[in-house]
């Protein structure tokens, strides 16, 4: 998205711009799959905060199907949670626990913003264990809701383990208002294709070396060398971390250190298509309080709630994502079906093998090397700014990880693309 938006902005301002993209498709970490007969986004799927978000009017204009996801279960009817043995939880109590956790998290983040922490608590784990005020008495199901929202849900937001997330620093992430809007019926691909229309895009062109000489930047690829007066780099942070791109001269020390300190996490999806619904069609999400370490299959989206198609998607983040990425498809499917049987088997009978499935593996994709950036313990407050700084007004940097407060999102990537283009034009 950042690369497309940088190019779009420069192209529309009359500049001659070429996009070098290693994949044979556009979109990067937005990847809309159609193999299940209905679109499923294996990368970004939600507009997180549609109010004031440039993606919302675009998706509306292009007629992309959209529907809200009530993660917190404010409505009381959107989510069903289950204990480790598959027993449905009391959702009034569970939801109260989630709301209590949400309030405690907001309070903690607000207090951190106005008053830096006086204790040593840095990670989310430290805060939940020592800093997050928990009500003195909670029922077991309230406690489960509290734990899910403060730990599991936070790990999904940050795509990282709770002991790695720098909780005070993560308070700088700004969530736009308006809830969470799931794109379906076309997905993010519709937006990307629209924004890229008419641009000079070279697919299958993998950058390997970048050389800066006075007045010129040379970009070496598997399809020859390109020269330009200015280059905007929108590589995922995971690719920059891996060291697979050679820079001559090397990137400044401060930038290299920022690249290593900013966190880059893991988040994976498995979407399953069945012949019919074997789960409650009227719920948006299922939370499973499994007990293993790491606890697996604890987040499910009823994709069919939005599309009417019998598709359900399991999510894993942080260490859970890395664990399932070690599994072959057979073991993964077996695990998913065993959990579905535990949750839904009583009401819906034996859960059959799905007709089709698709899974992501961003962690082992060398063009991503993970999912998206997060604030990692040890990161410095100005690291994202350092990452964004141009070199000699010749090499410019964009991409979600460079955004000061909308990082980890598609709209964040969008804004950094526009920002880098303006830097090239000299407007900033
Ligand atoms: C599983 C998952 C779920 C997510 N969920 C959401 C969500 O619901 N909502 C949301 O807002 N955000 C979400 N995100 C984050 C969002 O997808 C990203 O923040 C955003 O798409 C990043 O855009 P970008 O332009 O910075 O990077 P990218 O989209 O990764 O673009 C970088 C491009 O560089 C290319 N590239 C890599 N190496 C080379 C090379 N050597 N040569 C040439 N090209 C190269 C890549 O192929 C890619 O196309 C999610 C991400 C993942 C992975």
């Amino acid at each position: 998205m950042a690369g497309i938006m940088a190019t779009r902005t420069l192209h529309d301002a009359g500049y001659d711009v070429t996009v070098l993209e290693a994949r044979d498709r556009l979109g990067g970490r937005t990847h809309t799959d159609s193999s299940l007969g209905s679109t499923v986004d294996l990368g970004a799927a939600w507009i997180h905060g549609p109010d004031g978000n440039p993606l919302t009017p675009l998706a509306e204009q292009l007629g992309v199907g959209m529907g809200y996801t009530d993660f917190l279960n404010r409505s009381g009817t959107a989510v069903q949670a289950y204990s480790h043995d598959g027993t449905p939880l009391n959702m009034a109590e569970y939801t109260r626990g989630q709301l209590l956790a949400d309030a405690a998290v907001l309070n903690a983040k607000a207090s951190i913003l106005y008053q830096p922490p006086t204790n040593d608590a840095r990670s989310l784990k430290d805060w939940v264990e020592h800093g997050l005020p928990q009500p003195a008495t909670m029922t077991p199901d309230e406690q489960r809701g509290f734990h899910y929202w403060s730990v599991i849900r936070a790990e999904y937001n940050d795509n990282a383990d709770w002991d790695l997330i720098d909780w005070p620093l993560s308070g700088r992430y700004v969530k736009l208002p308006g809830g969470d809007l799931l794109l379906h019926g076309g997905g993010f691909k519709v937006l990307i294709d629209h924004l890229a229309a008419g641009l000079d895009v070279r697919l299958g062109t993998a950058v390997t070396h970048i050389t800066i000489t006075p007045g010129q930047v040379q970009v070496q690829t598997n399809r020859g060398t390109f020269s330009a007066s200015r280059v905007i780099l929108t590589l995922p942070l995971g690719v920059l971390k891996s060291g697979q791109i050679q820079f001559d001269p090397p990137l400044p020390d401060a930038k290299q250190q920022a690249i290593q300190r900013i966190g880059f996490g893991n988040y994976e999806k498995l979407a399953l298509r069945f012949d019919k619904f074997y789960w409650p069609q009227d719920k948006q999400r299922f939370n499973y309080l499994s007990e293993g370490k790491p606890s697996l299959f604890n987040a499910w989206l009823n994709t069919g709630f939005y599309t009417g198609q019998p598709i359900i998607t399991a999510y894993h983040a942080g260490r859970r994502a890395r664990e399932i990425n070690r599994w072959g498809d057979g073991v993964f499917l077996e695990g998913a079906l065993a959990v579905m049987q535990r949750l839904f088997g009583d009401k819906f009978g034996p859960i059959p093998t799905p007709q089709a499935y698709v899974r992501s593996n961003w962690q082992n994709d060398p063009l991503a090397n993970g999912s998206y950036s997060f604030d990692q313990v040890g990161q410095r407050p100005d690291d994202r700014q350092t990452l964004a700084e141009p070199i000699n007004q010749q090499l410019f940097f964009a991409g979600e990880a460079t955004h000061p407060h909308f990082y980890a999102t598609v709209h964040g990537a969008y804004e950094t693309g526009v920002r880098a283009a303006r830097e090239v034009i000299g407007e900033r």
Side-chain angles (χ1 to χ4, degrees), residues 1-4 20-31 41-48 53 55 159 173 181-182 188 192 202 204-208 220-222 234-237 239 244-245 264-269 315-316 360 362 365-368 370-373 398-402 406-414 416:
M1 175 58 88
I4 301 285
L20 306 178
E21 167 57 56
R23 295 179 197 275
D24 58 4
R25 64 166 180 84
L26 286 174
R29 283 171 282 160
T30 63
H31 183 201
D41 270 301
L42 293 173
W46 282 272
I47 295 179
H48 290 307
N53 192 316
L55 302 178
N159 79 147
Y173 171 81
L181 201 48
L182 183 79
F188 270 98
I192 295 284
R202 313 285 172 93
T205 308
V207 174
T208 53
Q220 207 171 314
T221 77
N222 60 330
T234 70
L235 293 169
L237 178 64
V239 172
Q244 55 185 282
I245 312 291
F264 201 65
N266 302 106
Y267 191 127
E268 307 291 0
K269 302 181 183 179
Y315 290 73
H316 289 91
S360 67
W362 297 101
D365 174 345
L367 302 177
S371 294
Y372 47 88
S373 68
E400 57 88 10
T402 67
F406 292 155
Y407 46 87
T409 64
V410 182
H411 58 280
Y414 177 111
T416 65

Side-chain angles (χ1 to χ4, degrees), residues 67-299:
Y68 284 95
T69 303
D70 179 8
F71 283 99
L72 249 178
N73 200 36
R74 284 177 209 277
S75 65
T77 57
V79 181
Q80 181 59 55
Y82 301 85
S83 70
H84 66 96
D85 62 0
T87 309
L89 302 185
N90 176 324
M91 287 311 290
E93 292 183 12
Y94 178 88
T95 302
R96 209 158 42 238
Q98 288 208 151
L99 291 168
L100 287 167
D102 194 45
V105 165
L106 284 176
N107 265 335
K109 289 209 164 176
S111 69
I112 293 165
L113 273 182
Y114 293 109
Q115 202 178 339
T118 48
N119 53 23
D120 291 335
R122 294 274 0 149
S123 71
L124 170 63
K125 181 172 188 284
D126 295 338
W127 274 87
V128 171
E129 289 182 345
H130 306 296
L132 208 55
Q134 296 201 21
T137 55
M138 281 194 285
T139 67
D141 282 359
E142 282 175 342
Q143 278 172 23
R144 290 179 177 117
F146 193 96
H147 179 77
Y148 196 93
W149 196 259
S150 55
V151 177
I152 309 285
R153 175 71 189 138
E155 286 193 350
Y156 277 100
N157 275 343
D158 286 286
N159 79 147
D161 306 338
W162 72 329
D163 52 332
L164 296 181
I165 300 165
D166 186 310
W167 196 236
L169 213 51
S170 75
R172 296 186 323 162
Y173 171 81
V174 174
K175 172 98 188 270
L176 285 167
D180 302 281
L181 201 48
L182 183 79
L183 299 194
H184 57 84
F188 270 98
K189 184 173 188 308
V190 178
L191 277 63
I192 295 284
D193 287 349
H194 172 82
L195 292 170
L199 302 180
D200 176 9
V201 180
R202 313 285 172 93
L203 296 177
T205 308
V207 174
T208 53
H209 289 76
I210 295 179
T211 307
I212 306 179
T213 56
Q216 204 179 53
V217 183
Q218 286 192 343
V219 181
Q220 207 171 314
T221 77
N222 60 330
R223 300 215 165 146
T225 301
F226 294 76
S227 293
S229 58
R230 282 156 295 179
V231 167
I232 300 177
L233 211 59
T234 70
L235 293 169
L237 178 64
V239 172
L240 290 173
K241 276 181 185 290
S242 73
Q244 55 185 282
I245 312 291
Q246 306 295 314
F247 292 90
D248 185 13
L251 292 177
D253 283 351
K255 204 183 270 289
Q256 289 192 37
Q257 284 161 16
I259 287 168
Q260 295 313 327
R261 279 192 296 256
I262 303 170
F264 201 65
N266 302 106
Y267 191 127
E268 307 291 0
K269 302 181 183 179
L270 167 70
L272 307 160
R273 185 190 180 95
F274 292 86
D275 58 331
K276 63 184 176 82
F277 281 84
Y278 291 92
W279 57 93
Q281 195 175 343
D282 61 338
K283 298 288 176 207
Q284 297 175 356
R285 291 182 57 88
F286 307 106
N287 296 347
Y288 173 48
L289 286 294
S290 57
E291 282 193 325
K293 282 192 188 311
S295 56
L296 300 174
F297 295 104
N298 54 18

